[in-house]
Amino acid sequence: MSQISIKGVKKSYLKTPVIHGVDVEIEAGEFVVILGPSGCGKSTLLRMIAGLEDITAGEIAIGGKVVNQLEPRERGCAMVFQNYALYPHMTVRQNIGYSLKVAKVPRVERDARVMKVAQSVSLETFLDRRPGELSGGQRQRVAMARAMVREPKVFLFDEPFSNLDAKLRVAMRAEVRRLHRDLGVTSVFVTHDQTEAMTLADKLIIMNAGNVEQIGKPTEVYNNPASRFVADFIGSPAMNLFEGEFDADGHFVHGQGGKMNVSQLNGVRQPGKKVVLGVRPESVRRTHAETHGAIAAVVDYVEELGASRLIHADANGSRIVALDTDTAEIKSGTRVHLSLEADALHLFSVENGRRIAH
Amino acid sequence: MIERSPVFDFLTYLAMAIGAFLVVIPFWITLVAGSQSLQEVSQVPISLMPSSHLWENLSAAWARADLGPKMLNSLIVAVGVTVGKITLASLSAFAIVFFNFRGRMISFWLIFITLMLPLEVRIVPTYAIAANALLPFQVILDTLGISWLVNAVSGIQVTLNWNLLNSYTGLILPLVATATGTFLYRQFFMTIPDELVEASKMDGARPIEFFFDVLLPLSRTNMLALATIMFVSSWNQYLWPLLITTDRANFGTVVMQLKALIPAQNGTPDWNVTMAGALIIMLPPLLVVAFMQRWFVRGLISRDK
Ligand SMILES: Nc1ncnc2c1ncn2[C@@H]1O[C@H](COP(=O)(O)OP(=O)(O)OP(=O)(O)O)[C@@H](O)[C@H]1O
Ligand SMILES: [Mg+2]
């Protein structure tokens, strides 16, 4: 039995639908990340699990019990908020211990539990400070300790690190991973940062405009994006996507008559059918003119990344980006030849954006 | 906007000095007159230098206006009204801001509209209610014919009566409702971030726990500022106590006693005693303001987070 079961959940504000029907099963102990662009409904979905938002239609069950009508306090979830949401007038100790105080846990036990949790996030020396006297990273740790102290069935995180600087974010990410490993509590984590999502998730839920686009392991989502949206959204630099069609010889025609030899896609080459062809920059190699199926392109500009670089080039009117590890210098305007790695091509329908199996 | 130039500085200080002078001068005259003897105070022109009879004038005023018990009455009323106002205002603002019930906006506007109906305007109906606080229910029963029915069936005449005249309840209750206070609280509560409300929900706090553990501590400075204003204004109430207390000896307040201190038409013109009495009467609000002014300014101007 899964820990959280979301069935046909919809949400409308007044008459505006913002979530159009989500079905997700989350297993006990799993770390699930909901990823999607701003405004796609991630927070709304999370808040419906938490009980902070009414569920317009569908059903959410936690631990086998339908919680649609339950108050947040009856659902056994703890939440970490984006802006920490610490009580400004309470000390760190009181902040962490507030849920226990409300639950009438005796003082001695409360203090012991607060201490234990504070130690696990290295806050024991800050217990008597107020949130205003802490740095952003410390506040975030207080927020996490506050969630942990209740020993909830489920942790919910709503973009908890988006106010932290890049370095701290990486450190907090590692901390969350460690805590999850130690405590094994089912966690749902909302973010729009894909690196965060990829590194944290056991299971990734990609959302777009109120719909779930794909659910899967991070590698699965990366290697087999289920839709054009996911292909475009996941991966940095973004996947090259070409709109075009197959000609009678089985070549893929794109841009202003550019042709690609894509014999890999043997099974699905219907002449005249409009499709979107996708290939990740790291699967685009520089090669020689003689190579079979090489695409001629003119270098637009080069982005140095240190160990590698991104070549932005124009191939018959289509923009193509290649990740290049060669050290030889290339100037813009140079003519290069690129080849697409076999097995690295993705095909999507133009009409609905879904993946076309091949 | 901060402007810095000698001329501008000078003008600013001049304006402030004139303002301070205008505010202080009546107090000074009261103090001076209160410290003079009958001969000194009757001189024309009046001397603006204090004299040495302050203590005897204070004692005379204290005795003449029976200020001891009256002070206590005033204190009870002012504290009662202040506490009542703050309790009522914070609770009603809590309901209006944090609960999504039907008629919430209507409730707010109903409260807000009473800003236009100060006590002076509604004094006659308020008095009628104070004379019999159950009158509205009596009217309802009469109109619905229930009293007639009860009378016809059991022969009992239904007369509800709860007289508030000459009681602390009567002095306090009608002054407790405050649109200003509710409005101030509402404005403050609306600055509380939603996340804080949600965090407390997730922590398992019920609304009333959220109110006491989070809202009240956060609104402490606002509350003290409001308390100061309310204390001073209820201490200074004149019309309502005058109307509702016929038993002056037991329920009179000090502000009503000011009248008793004014020299009679053909009596000794001992304005020095009157002024000394005024000094005593204005002392408590002055002390409260002096004591609270740090909070007062903070609560009304900035927000200490
Ligand atoms: N209280 C509300 N009333 C009306 N519409 C709302 C309300 N809250 C959210 N929405 C709408 O619902 C949609 C989803 O919002 P949501 O906050 O879930 O987005 P999100 O995916 O969390 O975005 P972000 O990454 O920016 O936080 C948005 O289009 C938003 O405008
Ligand atoms: Mg959000």
Side-chain angles (χ1 to χ4, degrees):
Chain A
M1 184 186 65
S2 51
Q3 179 73 356
I4 304 176
S5 161
I6 300 171
K7 291 205 186 92
V9 163
K10 296 184 183 175
K11 175 74 189 176
S12 307
Y13 286 109
L14 301 177
K15 288 278 166 280
T16 323
V18 294
I19 292 195
H20 309 290
V22 168
D23 293 276
V24 180
E25 296 293 322
I26 296 173
E27 305 304 324
E30 221 171 12
F31 199 109
V32 174
V33 175
I34 305 178
L35 177 66
S38 191
C40 70
K42 309 180 293 287
S43 301
T44 307
L45 183 59
L46 193 77
R47 292 160 53 80
M48 284 195 286
I49 300 175
L52 297 172
E53 209 75 70
D54 288 337
I55 301 166
T56 308
E59 194 176 282
I60 294 181
I62 299 177
K65 188 168 157 208
V66 176
V67 295
N68 285 35
Q69 302 302 328
L70 296 188
E71 290 288 315
R73 64 171 175 274
E74 299 161 318
R75 298 191 182 195
C77 302
M79 186 152 167
V80 179
F81 294 85
Q82 177 172 356
N83 299 313
Y84 322 126
L86 302 175
Y87 310 116
H89 59 293
M90 296 186 194
T91 62
V92 170
R93 188 193 309 279
Q94 291 165 330
N95 262 288
I96 299 177
Y98 184 61
S99 60
L100 301 180
K101 183 179 165 220
V102 169
K104 308 222 161 40
V105 173
R107 169 150 226 138
V108 180
E109 188 194 336
R110 198 198 314 165
D111 283 349
R113 277 168 72 176
V114 168
M115 194 42 138
K116 185 159 154 269
V117 171
Q119 277 164 349
S120 77
V121 291
S122 333
L123 276 174
E124 62 272 29
T125 50
F126 301 104
L127 282 176
D128 292 314
R129 293 210 200 165
R130 280 170 209 273
E133 301 157 353
L134 298 176
S135 73
Q138 289 160 347
R139 283 182 216 180
Q140 191 57 69
R141 292 217 297 275
V142 177
M144 291 199 341
R146 181 171 68 174
M148 283 158 57
V149 80
R150 299 172 47 202
E151 298 170 3
K153 284 184 282 185
V154 176
F155 278 131
L156 305 172
F157 300 85
D158 192 357
E159 309 206 20
F161 307 149
S162 55
N163 290 345
L164 304 177
D165 67 43
K167 209 165 166 185
L168 203 52
R169 209 179 294 183
V170 175
M172 290 303 291
R173 211 189 283 161
E175 187 134 347
V176 164
R177 257 289 51 161
R178 179 179 63 78
L179 288 170
H180 182 252
R181 197 192 54 219
D182 294 350
L183 304 173
V185 175
T186 315
S187 306
V188 184
F189 189 107
V190 163
T191 180
H192 58 230
D193 177 333
Q194 51 166 305
T195 326
E196 207 163 276
M198 297 298 265
T199 51
L200 282 172
D202 295 328
K203 185 192 261 177
L204 203 52
I205 300 174
I206 313 285
M207 284 187 69
N208 180 33
N211 288 306
V212 170
E213 291 274 338
Q214 187 170 6
I215 301 176
K217 289 201 177 72
T219 48
E220 207 173 289
V221 172
Y222 187 82
N223 293 326
N224 291 306
S227 68
R228 177 183 180 165
F229 171 83
V230 178
D232 194 29
F233 189 70
I234 299 286
S236 172
M239 186 185 276
N240 293 295
L241 292 168
F242 311 100
E243 280 195 29
E245 59 186 69
F246 296 106
D247 67 7
D249 309 330
H251 290 110
F252 180 72
V253 185
H254 64 94
Q256 288 142 5
K259 288 191 182 181
M260 289 181 195
N261 188 332
V262 286
S263 46
Q264 306 93 303
L265 299 175
N266 230 333
V268 289
R269 286 182 291 178
Q270 299 169 19
K273 184 177 163 62
K274 287 213 181 303
V275 290
V276 178
L277 180 73
V279 58
R280 295 209 180 273
E282 62 264 34
S283 304
V284 182
R285 301 265 165 225
R286 260 172 81 201
T287 178
H288 311 286
E290 311 84 69
T291 314
H292 175 70
I295 304 160
V298 180
V299 176
D300 223 2
Y301 61 97
V302 178
E303 247 181 291
E304 286 296 342
L305 301 176
S308 57
R309 57 194 169 183
L310 289 177
I311 301 174
H312 295 253
D314 182 278
N316 289 85
S318 289
R319 169 157 301 273
I320 182 164
V321 181
L323 185 75
D324 186 34
T325 46
D326 200 339
T327 49
E329 197 184 347
I330 319 179
K331 288 214 173 58
S332 45
T334 320
R335 239 186 132 63
V336 289
H337 288 87
L338 305 169
S339 71
L340 313 182
E341 253 176 41
D343 305 332
L345 298 182
H346 308 273
L347 215 53
F348 305 101
S349 148
V350 166
E351 293 90 36
N352 60 15
R354 302 311 294 177
R355 183 182 189 83
I356 300 170
H358 59 86
Chain B
M1 188 194 72
I2 296 171
E3 181 149 350
R4 287 232 152 269
S5 80
V7 177
F8 189 79
D9 276 1
F10 174 76
L11 288 178
T12 321
Y13 279 110
L14 188 68
M16 284 199 298
I18 293 173
F21 181 75
L22 288 177
V23 171
V24 166
I25 200 74
F27 287 96
W28 181 248
I29 291 177
T30 314
L31 182 70
V32 166
S35 69
Q36 292 174 336
S37 66
L38 185 56
Q39 283 83 348
E40 285 167 324
V41 85
S42 314
Q43 273 169 17
V44 180
I46 184 175
S47 153
L48 281 181
M49 275 306 152
S51 180
S52 58
H53 303 274
L54 182 61
W55 187 248
E56 48 189 272
N57 290 340
L58 289 177
S59 326
W62 188 272
R64 185 188 298 175
D66 188 25
L67 285 184
K70 303 291 161 13
M71 274 287 199
L72 188 65
N73 283 348
S74 274
L75 205 66
I76 292 172
V77 170
V79 169
V81 170
T82 307
V83 169
K85 278 189 176 202
I86 285 180
T87 314
L88 198 68
S90 58
L91 280 174
S92 39
F94 180 53
I96 285 168
V97 175
F98 292 101
F99 291 85
N100 216 339
F101 56 95
R102 226 175 298 165
R104 146 167 116 149
M105 275 338 266
I106 293 182
S107 313
F108 174 68
W109 284 110
L110 280 179
I111 294 173
F112 197 72
I113 280 171
T114 64
L115 271 180
M116 287 185 269
L117 301 171
L119 185 72
E120 289 74 10
V121 173
R122 55 188 164 86
I123 197 135
V124 173
T126 310
Y127 182 84
I129 300 284
N132 179 8
L134 298 177
L135 185 67
F137 298 99
Q138 177 83 54
V139 171
I140 291 171
L141 292 182
D142 289 352
T143 325
L144 293 180
I146 295 177
S147 354
W148 174 85
L149 199 67
V150 172
N151 194 6
V153 171
S154 63
I156 297 169
Q157 183 73 40
V158 181
T159 23
L160 302 171
N161 197 1
W162 182 26
N163 188 330
L164 296 180
L165 303 182
N166 292 321
S167 72
Y168 290 126
T169 324
L171 279 164
I172 294 172
L173 263 191
L175 299 180
V176 155
T178 162
T180 326
T182 309
F183 191 68
L184 261 163
Y185 263 101
R186 172 179 176 267
Q187 294 308 93
F188 173 72
F189 286 168
M190 290 202 315
T191 67
I192 301 274
D194 284 346
E195 274 198 345
L196 216 53
V197 185
E198 291 171 352
S200 86
K201 279 191 198 166
M202 294 307 293
D203 271 345
R206 290 169 176 80
I208 201 70
E209 285 157 333
F210 174 68
F211 181 73
F212 282 113
D213 294 343
V214 180
L215 277 184
L216 281 194
L218 284 179
S219 59
R220 202 184 51 202
T221 47
N222 293 57
M223 188 154 59
L224 292 175
L226 195 62
T228 313
I229 302 176
M230 297 307 180
F231 182 86
V232 173
S233 81
S234 42
W235 183 272
N236 289 342
Q237 278 298 330
Y238 180 65
L239 187 58
W240 181 248
L242 200 62
L243 203 66
I244 197 171
T245 48
T246 45
D247 179 9
R248 277 268 187 113
N250 288 319
F251 290 99
T253 63
V254 281
V255 177
M256 291 158 69
Q257 292 304 95
L258 272 175
K259 182 86 192 315
L261 284 167
I262 296 174
Q265 196 105 56
N266 300 317
T268 335
D270 49 358
W271 285 99
N272 49 347
V273 176
T274 312
M275 290 304 179
L279 274 182
I280 299 175
I281 291 168
M282 70 178 149
L283 196 62
L286 270 181
L287 285 178
V288 167
V289 171
F291 186 71
M292 299 279 231
Q293 58 114 347
R294 198 163 62 98
W295 302 105
F296 181 80
V297 173
R298 228 198 273 176
L300 289 185
I301 293 178
S302 72
R303 189 127 288 142
D304 63 330
K305 273 277 154 72

